[in-house]
Amino acid sequence: MRETEFWRRMTEQLGEDYARVWADQVVLGELGNRTVKEAIEAKVAFKTIWLGVWHFLELPAHDR
């Protein structure tokens, strides 16, 4: 997954303004107890980050 696709999905689920704030503040266990921002900085694959977000937000399977 490319970064642009990741942010499109984040915006779709959380809204344009809130997606970046959420990515900076919410710690996800599936990302090694990191925020999305920290995971990106650690060069975790965007697909892996998205799957962590998807699971945390309990999104439907079609959004996976």
Side-chain angles (χ1 to χ4, degrees), residues 41-58:
E41 290 170 354
K43 306 232 185 278
V44 175
F46 282 100
K47 182 66 175 179
T48 301
I49 298 171
W50 174 250
L51 290 176
V53 170
W54 174 82
H55 185 260
F56 184 86
L57 293 176
E58 299 179 347

Side-chain angles (χ1 to χ4, degrees), residues 7 14 18 20 28 30 32 35 39-40 47 49-51 55:
W7 286 112
L14 299 170
Y18 188 55
R20 301 273 177 175
L28 303 178
E30 289 190 21
T35 65
I40 291 169
K47 182 66 175 179
I49 298 171
W50 174 250
L51 290 176
H55 185 260

Side-chain angles (χ1 to χ4, degrees), residues 23-40:
D24 286 343
Q25 295 181 355
V26 177
V27 175
L28 303 178
E30 289 190 21
L31 300 179
N33 292 321
R34 292 182 272 205
T35 65
V36 168
K37 181 180 177 183
E38 291 168 337
I40 291 169

